Amino acid sequence: MDTTIQHSRGETLRALHQPGTPLLLANAWDVVTARVFEQAGYAAIATTSAGVAWAAGYPDGERMSRGEMLAVVARIAHAVQVPVTADLEAGYADTARDVAETVRLAITAGAVGMNLEDAMPRAPRPSPDPLFSMQDAVERVAAARAAANAAGVAFVINARTDIFLKQVGDPAQRLSKAIERANAYRAAGADCLFVAGVTDGETIGALARGINGPLNILAGPATPPLSELARLGVARVSTGPWPVLVVMSAAARVGRELLESGDFAASLRSTLSYPDVNGLMRTPMSS
């Protein structure tokens, strides 16, 4: 991808993070879902590590190789005209140096942003503390920032803490610990701060007030509506694995209905036609 185009897309993505006007992301897992979401009007495309891994036959959690994951990211980034940010979990890296290499490879793939989690994907289970230490996590974010800056491309680092998602430590201290980590990641160079596993408005509002940067929330069926998240000061809303789960649920339903009833007219109704989707694939790829 032309570096001028890529840099421009990165600047666009960064500018879309406005507290009170959340950037909504329906996470894609392949080219066709990315194109469908782009056509629907999304301003940017995010990938879902779970969806990409499942589509390739792997469990989520960095079981898919970094190269395989980034090959999918590259196909998506070159198939759409909007910015692409990649869910790269904990960076496929045990060290800060390896995080930097993942950033360089993501930029080469055409991405203009990535998630970087502070949970160790290969931590023993159950583990009393599955997160990287604060020092290690901060060093990893700083290494990602330095690598992105050296590449000369605007690259949005979405630093995620999994304190709530992994239910780490004393529940009474999770809010303060999440804010502490998020602010440390912001100081280390993160553009956006992602707190996964939070659904109640009171906690989301406290996070938005306490974090010194744009807040990203992971949305699911129990999350307040987008208008309420905007009121609370959220800047970015990711849907993570939920779109792929909805699609897979629909596939399971169709499969059951066909076996049980054999009624093609009832089971195979679709709002998208074969020509609709085939036409999306005929649109020229970006350079």
Side-chain angles (χ1 to χ4, degrees):
M1 181 181 295
D2 182 274
T3 55
T4 302
I5 294 173
Q6 192 171 7
H7 183 73
S8 175
R9 290 184 186 180
E11 290 182 324
T12 296
L13 179 62
R14 185 173 287 148
L16 289 169
H17 291 72
Q18 298 295 328
T21 310
L23 167 63
L24 178 60
L25 297 165
N27 296 63
W29 56 96
D30 58 13
V31 168
V32 69
T33 49
R35 294 300 299 272
V36 166
F37 293 150
E38 180 186 34
Q39 188 179 63
Y42 283 84
I45 298 296
T47 65
T48 160
S49 67
V52 174
W54 295 339
Y58 296 94
D60 193 23
E62 294 193 8
R63 306 295 183 86
M64 189 178 190
S65 73
R66 179 173 65 181
E68 289 174 295
M69 179 65 73
L70 286 171
V72 176
V73 171
R75 290 190 65 82
I76 291 173
H78 288 80
V80 298
Q81 303 297 319
V82 296
V84 171
T85 178
D87 181 0
L88 297 178
E89 303 188 69
Y92 288 83
D94 293 324
T95 67
R97 177 179 294 181
D98 288 340
V99 169
E101 178 63 12
T102 296
V103 170
R104 288 189 285 268
L105 292 171
I107 291 172
T108 299
V112 294
M114 67 175 275
N115 290 355
L116 181 60
E117 301 171 11
D118 63 4
M120 296 180 283
R122 289 169 290 281
R125 296 185 182 183
S127 172
D129 189 356
L131 307 185
F132 287 99
S133 71
M134 173 76 86
Q135 179 179 345
D136 286 346
V138 167
E139 288 177 358
R140 290 159 63 83
V141 173
R145 179 79 278 149
N149 289 348
V153 171
F155 192 78
V156 177
I157 298 169
N158 191 33
R160 173 174 137 175
T161 182
D162 280 0
I163 287 177
F164 282 96
L165 188 65
K166 303 289 187 182
Q167 300 182 355
V168 176
D170 182 352
Q173 296 182 12
R174 284 175 191 157
L175 175 61
S176 62
K177 293 293 186 182
I179 291 173
E180 180 185 14
R181 278 190 172 247
N183 284 336
Y185 302 161
R186 176 67 166 173
D191 298 277
C192 187
L193 299 314
F194 190 179
V195 183
V198 179
T199 57
D200 68 284
E202 182 178 353
T203 303
I204 292 170
L207 288 166
R209 292 189 298 273
I211 292 173
N212 300 323
L215 172 63
N216 184 182
I217 290 298
L218 178 63
T223 307
L226 189 63
S227 58
E228 177 65 7
L229 295 178
R231 188 189 70 79
L232 292 169
V234 174
R236 173 168 166 168
V237 180
S238 305
T239 52
W242 285 104
V244 68
L245 289 171
V246 170
V247 170
M248 293 309 299
S249 297
R253 175 185 55 77
V254 169
R256 287 194 305 270
E257 288 180 357
L258 287 171
L259 283 174
E260 292 167 0
S261 71
D263 186 342
F264 301 122
S267 298
L268 299 182
R269 287 193 301 269
S270 173
T271 57
L272 288 174
S273 69
Y274 176 96
D276 290 336
V277 176
N278 210 41
L280 286 176
M281 301 301 102
R282 285 199 298 268
T283 303
M285 300 285 189
S286 60
S287 60

